[in-house]
Amino acid sequence: MELSIASFVQIFVAVLLIIGLMVGNAVVMVYFERKGAGFIQRRPGPYEVGPWGTIQAVCDSMKLLGKQIFVPGNVDWILYFAAPILAFFPVLLLFLPIPFGPYLTGLKVDDGILLILAFAGFGVISNILAGWASNNKFGLLGAARAVSQSIAYEIPMILALLAVVFLSGSLNLSEIVENQGSWPWQWNIFVQPLAFFIYLVSMVGETNRAPFDLPEAESELTAGFHTEYSCMGFALFFLSEYANMLLVSFVCATFFLGGWRGPFLDGFWWTFIKAYVLMLFIVWIRWTFPRVRFDQLLNLNWRWLLPLAIINLWITAVAIKFFD
Amino acid sequence: MLKAIIDNIKGLYSLLVGLSITGRFLLSPRQTVHYPRKVIEPENMASYRGPLELVPGDPDPAQSRCISCQMCVRACPGHCLTVTKGASGKSPEVWLYDFTLCCLCAACVESCPTGAIRFSHKVYLVADSREALHLDLLGQLKSSAKQTS
Ligand code: SF4
Ligand code: SF4
């Protein structure tokens, strides 16, 4: 890919749209998350601000922006302020290679999934920095948990994705989508159900969402690594959490659910519909399952997901060798 | 090994059961009542424990059934109650109740030999000071009897 003015403009526009998507996504998802929590617990959720409480999330974010930036004593200033920025900006990059539609792709690269997996690690670095720099025992514990959890969940996640990569013979996300058909039974989920399941579990673990939200377990660690962040620092962590959720949902949609391919009319709407169904599923999971213990989390990963992913990958490789 | 695998498959099934339960709740009607627009139906209030009130007496609703036996005063773990016997007869002259100390444990209600006290259903009780929650139940009984008559 040669760098021309046109490609710069393309990337610039893509980044702007992605920022818009991230912020809009956070506002919409906060609303649905709270409504979902309310409905599951048989109460109405946000109700008073705007019709059916729709403006509640906007008002909350305004309030958050208006708050004082409170910096605790003895923090490591550079790292303390670098952490939220480091949490937010790499996520922008991660959205670039996602094929939202046949033509709607920020950056068509041949090894898109490699880019995503490589930069996804930045999220954990920001968690470690935040926990370490804020000079708080809860923060530090949260950071330590974040590290071991992300190591644990990234490996089965990569192995599950690798099985699909073997099938399509490409690291390019657009090609992976094009290799799947329009109808649900032509999607990779039917060829690789086990990989889909493993990915589903590790995507919840990877985004630190309940029941795997140990790095920020409220009842144990106050707020874990972002205990000491207020105002914009917290807002950036919050945005990046929702952006990460959206990202893993998009990756899941492209890899297993046919991406922008769908019945009747292919197009970017299918990517969004699939991704948001997955997002709502993550919300549903959060309000259904209690948080796991830390040893349970690691056991689940190292003793079940990882061996299953390896076996799955092995079977896929053998099958491709013999039937192709 | 086999047992562990079977256990885990059972565990997975239980996760699905959990999801189906919350999914059903997600779609079933809400239970919360929006206070200023709606109030709770009286039949749902039967088990609600509001601040104590005296049961109106049988011939005269302004008179309490209380015989000033002090059982409730002694039973109360929070020392919320003050009952003073009147000069004539057994009926009380002062019946004070400090709602700020009450834990709504019902020890007083259960210990009363004449069934003179019960929990009220005042859900929407609001007070702006501690003193406003030092209630004179005899006075309340008299004024409510006057209101109904
Ligand atoms: S309910 Fe319990 S605490 Fe309250 S007045 Fe009766 S005995 Fe005392
Ligand atoms: S136990 Fe009943 S009868 Fe005895 S003093 Fe208390 S309210 Fe009156």
Side-chain angles (χ1 to χ4, degrees):
Chain A
M1 192 190 81
E2 73 277 17
L3 282 178
S4 60
I5 300 278
S7 64
F8 262 124
V9 170
Q10 187 194 357
I11 290 176
F12 185 71
V13 171
V15 166
L16 281 187
L17 287 179
I18 288 166
I19 292 178
L21 177 68
M22 277 171 76
V23 175
N25 167 63
V27 170
V28 171
M29 277 319 290
V30 167
Y31 177 72
F32 278 109
E33 173 117 44
R34 294 179 59 183
K35 269 290 186 207
F39 280 20
I40 283 174
Q41 293 159 6
R42 308 195 73 179
R43 54 187 176 77
Y47 197 81
E48 300 293 339
V49 192
W52 301 288
T54 34
I55 317 204
Q56 183 76 52
V58 181
C59 292
D60 284 354
S61 48
M62 289 297 157
K63 189 201 88 178
L64 194 59
L65 295 190
K67 288 238 167 182
Q68 181 193 5
I69 296 188
F70 183 82
V71 184
N74 291 331
V75 302
D76 189 329
W77 270 74
I78 298 173
L79 296 185
Y80 181 81
F81 285 107
I85 297 173
L86 210 56
F88 181 75
F89 284 100
V91 185
L92 290 180
L93 186 63
L94 300 182
F95 276 97
L96 277 179
I98 302 258
F100 295 105
Y103 305 106
L104 196 63
T105 311
L107 183 67
K108 283 203 164 120
V109 280
D110 281 340
D111 35 17
I113 188 59
L114 221 55
L115 185 75
I116 290 178
L117 291 174
F119 280 91
F122 267 90
V124 191
I125 294 185
S126 72
N127 293 359
I128 305 171
L129 288 187
W132 170 256
S134 56
N135 186 29
N136 175 309
K137 62 182 173 212
F138 296 126
L140 195 58
L141 279 173
R145 286 181 175 191
V147 181
S148 47
Q149 178 171 343
S150 107
I151 292 174
Y153 277 91
E154 229 153 64
I155 300 171
M157 188 178 201
I158 293 173
L159 291 180
L161 293 179
L162 213 53
V164 176
V165 170
F166 277 17
L167 269 185
S168 10
S170 166
L171 289 167
N172 187 331
L173 291 162
S174 302
E175 275 177 33
I176 290 171
V177 173
E178 273 153 22
N179 280 339
Q180 303 176 58
S182 287
W183 293 94
W185 55 88
Q186 295 167 325
W187 295 345
N188 280 338
I189 176 173
F190 283 92
V191 193
Q192 290 284 354
L194 186 60
F196 174 73
F197 177 72
I198 292 167
Y199 181 84
L200 206 63
V201 177
S202 34
M203 98 182 178
V204 180
E206 184 67 20
T207 46
N208 297 340
R209 293 276 306 183
F212 304 128
D213 59 345
L214 286 148
E216 43 191 294
E218 291 95 348
S219 48
E220 303 161 25
L221 299 182
T222 323
F225 60 86
H226 58 56
T227 307
E228 295 291 6
Y229 284 86
S230 53
C231 184
M232 271 320 283
F234 174 72
L236 285 180
F237 276 120
F238 199 71
L239 270 180
S240 70
E241 177 183 334
Y242 278 94
N244 271 321
M245 264 167 79
L246 190 62
L247 179 87
V248 291
S249 302
F250 271 129
V251 172
C252 187
T254 25
F255 267 76
F256 297 100
L257 302 176
W260 42 263
R261 294 225 151 170
F264 306 117
L265 198 54
D266 291 349
F268 68 88
W269 42 86
W270 280 114
T271 329
F272 279 85
I273 290 172
K274 288 164 189 169
Y276 275 93
V277 167
L278 282 169
M279 295 278 275
L280 293 179
F281 181 65
I282 298 179
V283 169
W284 184 11
I285 288 182
R286 171 167 180 189
W287 298 109
T288 302
F289 302 138
R291 181 181 305 127
V292 298
R293 247 179 15 231
F294 200 68
D295 60 319
Q296 291 170 332
L297 175 125
L298 291 182
N299 271 344
L300 172 67
N301 167 70
W302 293 112
R303 291 175 55 189
W304 293 101
L305 291 187
L306 188 64
L308 278 179
I310 291 175
I311 292 170
N312 184 51
L313 192 64
W314 187 76
I315 293 175
T316 312
V318 170
I320 287 171
K321 192 80 194 158
F322 282 106
F323 296 111
D324 250 7
Chain B
M1 183 68 196
L2 195 66
K3 188 176 171 296
I5 290 175
I6 291 171
D7 278 354
N8 275 278
I9 290 172
K10 276 188 194 154
L12 277 181
Y13 174 70
S14 78
L15 293 185
L16 290 183
V17 172
L19 278 179
S20 78
I21 290 172
T22 47
R24 245 195 340 268
F25 278 4
L26 186 74
L27 301 175
S28 54
R30 321 280 86 84
Q31 297 281 311
T32 317
V33 174
H34 282 280
Y35 163 55
R37 304 179 193 95
K38 267 194 231 157
V39 290
I40 301 170
E41 311 286 331
E43 64 260 30
N44 291 337
M45 296 290 294
S47 59
Y48 181 78
R49 290 185 176 185
L52 290 178
E53 65 184 8
L54 292 176
V55 179
D58 203 2
D60 177 11
Q63 280 292 315
S64 167
R65 290 194 202 166
C66 175
I67 52 171
S68 312
C69 69
Q70 309 292 330
M71 292 299 280
C72 56
V73 178
R74 254 179 257 159
C76 175
H79 306 295
C80 332
L81 306 175
T82 314
V83 183
T84 317
K85 208 171 107 183
S88 62
K90 290 176 180 174
S91 56
E93 187 180 46
V94 182
W95 217 112
L96 296 179
Y97 166 50
D98 186 351
F99 188 45
T100 58
L101 299 175
C102 178
C103 59
L104 301 167
C105 66
C108 52
V109 178
E110 274 166 21
S111 66
C112 179
T114 59
I117 29 184
R118 68 180 176 203
F119 287 114
S120 68
H121 301 324
K122 294 174 187 156
V123 195
Y124 305 115
L125 178 81
V126 176
D128 52 7
S129 67
R130 276 167 187 274
E131 286 67 42
L133 290 172
H134 297 173
L135 306 170
D136 171 18
L137 294 195
L138 264 187
Q140 267 184 20
L141 187 70
K142 292 212 172 83
S143 62
S144 69
K146 219 179 273 168
Q147 267 173 19
T148 47
S149 64

